Amino acid sequence: MSYSDRHYGAGDPDCPICGGLGYIRYDVPEDHPHFGRVFDCECRRARVEAQRQAYLRRMGGLESLADKTLDSFNPDLPGLPEQQRASLRRVYERVAAYAENPQGWLILTGGYGCGKTHLAAAIANARIEAGEPVLFVTAPDLLDHLRAAFNPAVAQSESYDARFREVRDTPLLILDDLGIESPTPWAVEKLYQILNHRYNARLPTVITTNHNLDELEMRLRSRLYDQQVSEILVITAPDYRTQAGFASQQGDLNALGLYNHMTFESFELRRDLTREEQENLRRVLETARSFAQNPEGWLVLMGPYGCGKTHLAAAIANAQLAGGTRVLFITVPDLLDHLRATFAPDSHISYDKLFNEVKTAPLLILDDLGTESATPWAREKLYQLFNYRYNARLPTVITTAHRLENLDARLVTRMRDKRLSTLLVVGVPAYVGARQK
């Protein structure tokens, strides 16, 4: 009995074509390519294919994820604002294209429950249906499997070296939840060896993470950021499992309710200004209106206290909120206070969840940059936030009364990038009321 017969069985005993043998041989001349060869009969072919795919899913760790397909993923989730739905649709279409022809690396980032694992598993299932082997594994499970191979008290079906080679050389590796593993030196070294080998060999690899890539070990990060090999897709959708995810996790983080009276209609083109100042303020207002209609890239509003920066930023936020977009408006010092508060024992939300909500907000308004206490921790958190949104090209509005040379140079390089950011100087003095206060 052949390997195929043992694993997949013979044909249908009542089959009029093969008589239950499961194979057929074509009656063709000797010079025909099918001469002397046997082929699966139709009665056996469907069962062989189903069992083969089940075997590939079992070997690839996908048995529990068989339902995670491109067809079962809804990129047009009801209730999402148009901009967020369009972003999710673009990610979905790119994932579908990768599933058709896996080339290079695909990095899926986003908050908890946004669909990263579903899309990664959908790629794996699509390739298995095409008959190609895939290894799907979470980063912690992968490291546990490698550790277990060293244990002499446990019977092993394969050595550590064989298991390591399987992961390193598999035609398509899906590594889920990178960053939640315990970052011991051994774990970091094993992940680096695997990813570095696949990077050098240009082996197709899909990685999901809800961490800021800048938080990962430097050697891993350099591979993930290489645009010649890797493509980073940011999923800004809220938690699919809790439709109120974005709002419920923010708590009192969002200060936009304090500024709901600040709209474009209530913004005053002041009469106490010179003609040149009025023209400047009118240009800034028109640019802010245009950004509010189609928020793309970054808008940086600079000027003295009381000149109208916060009003314009709030007007953008309120216009987008009226259109259904989820907006986060917060002053930078308050943001850092909220992040610090998550370390308290009675905090109702973890630091990771809160920071992810801020990083992936569909539209983020950061008011009063430069007024925060510039501790090393604060500088690092702001850099991580800026760098994430910069790489993900997420719409962001920043206001500051400080000169750029007085801000962190790492932040300034992102704000000055003309490919992403528009810098506007509100060149008018403070309102009379603001000056009196």
Side-chain angles (χ1 to χ4, degrees):
M1 180 180 289
S2 69
Y3 172 89
S4 181
D5 288 336
R6 288 198 310 272
H7 284 266
Y8 301 131
D12 182 352
D14 299 324
C15 178
I17 300 174
C18 69
L21 183 63
Y23 301 99
I24 60 173
R25 189 191 300 273
Y26 291 101
D27 184 13
V28 293
E30 292 184 6
D31 59 348
H32 194 280
H34 288 172
F35 180 79
R37 299 175 60 190
V38 293
F39 298 88
D40 287 327
C41 180
E42 291 179 6
C43 70
R44 186 173 183 271
R45 195 174 299 146
R47 185 171 72 255
V48 168
E49 179 62 21
Q51 292 180 356
R52 185 178 63 82
Q53 289 189 14
Y55 170 78
L56 288 173
R57 285 194 175 90
R58 186 168 63 255
M59 293 297 99
L62 282 160
E63 285 183 306
S64 62
L65 298 170
D67 63 324
K68 305 301 183 187
T69 65
L70 290 168
D71 289 338
S72 65
F73 187 90
N74 182 10
D76 302 309
L77 193 67
L80 285 182
E82 180 58 34
Q83 181 185 359
Q84 203 169 5
R85 188 163 55 249
S87 173
L88 188 58
R89 166 62 65 175
R90 285 194 296 271
V91 171
Y92 173 82
E93 291 175 352
R94 182 64 194 95
V95 166
Y98 187 92
E100 283 286 328
N101 182 29
Q103 297 288 332
W105 289 18
L106 198 64
I107 317 299
L108 301 174
T109 74
Y112 296 92
C114 69
K116 303 184 302 295
T117 297
H118 188 141
L119 289 170
I123 293 172
N125 285 319
R127 297 320 303 163
I128 284 175
E129 288 183 8
E132 296 184 6
V134 178
L135 178 59
F136 184 105
V137 65
T138 67
D141 287 347
L142 167 61
L143 295 168
D144 284 347
H145 286 309
L146 293 177
R147 288 188 190 99
F150 287 114
N151 188 352
V154 180
Q156 299 293 333
S157 60
E158 59 180 340
S159 68
Y160 165 82
D161 289 339
R163 187 170 294 183
F164 191 73
R165 282 196 302 271
E166 178 191 21
V167 176
R168 194 184 62 179
D169 297 325
T170 186
L172 174 59
L173 174 64
I174 315 280
L175 188 58
D176 195 32
D177 276 339
L178 178 66
I180 67 170
E181 68 282 350
S182 178
T184 65
W186 181 88
V188 171
E189 186 63 27
K190 295 303 111 179
L191 287 172
Y192 172 71
Q193 288 175 341
I194 291 168
L195 293 179
N196 189 57
H197 175 84
R198 299 187 66 82
Y199 172 86
N200 290 325
R202 298 300 194 260
L203 290 172
T205 305
V206 177
I207 297 171
T208 80
T209 182
N210 54 39
H211 281 251
N212 187 335
L213 297 186
D214 290 326
E215 297 171 356
L216 301 178
E217 200 269 341
M218 182 180 66
R219 294 176 298 173
L220 303 181
R221 190 170 69 229
S222 67
R223 304 306 187 258
L224 270 55
Y225 272 142
D226 187 343
Q227 296 182 0
Q228 293 183 340
V229 176
S230 179
E231 180 178 0
I232 300 172
L233 299 178
V234 178
I235 303 175
T236 61
D239 193 332
Y240 271 58
R241 298 162 295 193
T242 58
Q243 281 304 293
F246 186 85
S248 65
Q249 291 179 21
Q250 286 184 44
D252 58 353
L253 177 68
N254 201 335
L256 187 54
L258 301 174
Y259 302 94
N260 55 18
H261 63 289
M262 293 186 177
T263 64
F264 288 118
E265 289 71 27
S266 65
F267 188 82
E268 180 185 349
L269 288 171
R270 298 151 48 191
R271 296 181 180 179
D272 62 318
L273 302 176
T274 67
R275 182 174 180 178
E276 183 179 355
E277 290 170 340
Q278 286 182 337
E279 290 178 354
N280 168 264
L281 194 59
R282 188 175 290 107
R283 285 195 301 271
V284 171
L285 174 61
E286 290 172 355
T287 304
R289 280 186 187 274
S290 177
F291 185 91
Q293 292 172 359
N294 183 28
E296 290 187 354
W298 290 15
L299 185 66
V300 181
L301 300 172
M302 303 174 58
Y305 294 108
C307 69
K309 305 185 304 296
T310 296
H311 190 138
L312 289 170
I316 293 170
N318 285 317
Q320 278 292 296
L321 188 66
T325 299
R326 291 182 174 90
V327 182
L328 176 56
F329 184 109
I330 190 167
T331 66
V332 174
D334 287 346
L335 168 62
L336 294 169
D337 283 347
H338 281 286
L339 291 176
R340 291 186 188 99
T342 61
F343 296 109
D346 59 348
S347 175
H348 67 283
I349 184 171
S350 71
Y351 166 82
D352 287 339
K353 279 196 173 183
L354 185 62
F355 198 41
N356 270 311
E357 290 296 339
V358 178
K359 287 190 309 184
T360 61
L363 175 58
L364 176 63
I365 315 288
L366 288 174
D367 195 31
D368 277 340
L369 176 66
T371 59
E372 69 281 353
S373 176
T375 64
W377 181 87
R379 288 163 61 93
E380 187 62 27
K381 294 304 109 180
L382 286 175
Y383 170 70
Q384 290 175 353
L385 174 61
F386 272 57
N387 197 54
Y388 183 92
R389 296 187 69 85
Y390 173 84
N391 287 316
R393 299 296 195 260
L394 291 175
T396 307
V397 178
I398 301 163
T399 79
T400 182
H402 288 253
R403 289 177 171 272
L404 292 182
E405 55 264 30
N406 295 332
L407 300 174
D408 188 332
R410 296 176 299 175
L411 310 185
V412 173
T413 58
R414 277 124 183 97
M415 291 190 290
R416 274 184 166 157
D417 187 343
K418 293 182 179 180
R419 297 169 299 177
L420 172 74
S421 182
T422 300
L423 264 169
L424 289 179
V425 176
V426 186
V428 301
Y431 281 83
V432 174
R435 287 202 299 269
Q436 290 174 349
K437 289 179 183 179

